[in-house]
Amino acid sequence: MKVIQITDTHLSPMKPHFNGNWAPLLQWIEAEEPDLIIHTGDLSVDGADHAND
């Protein structure tokens, strides 16, 4: 079983400075063909304080 764990992607429509990391990461994940992907840490930058995140 192949497991990929990613963390702290910090996606945000209001603060896009980390959003550019998503496309290369997605390409790598798709090429690896994992059985399971686990995301830990912060999915968004300010999701706790801003509904748009």
Side-chain angles (χ1 to χ4, degrees), residues 20-36:
N21 296 335
W22 186 246
L25 175 61
L26 182 57
Q27 285 181 321
W28 179 78
I29 289 172
E30 288 174 340
E32 291 297 312
E33 298 181 345
D35 299 301
L36 177 66

Side-chain angles (χ1 to χ4, degrees), residues 1 8-10 20-22 28 30 32 35 38-39 44 47 49 51:
M1 173 181 264
D8 297 304
T9 48
H10 294 134
N21 296 335
W22 186 246
W28 179 78
E30 288 174 340
E32 291 297 312
D35 299 301
I38 300 170
H39 186 291
S44 67
D49 297 324

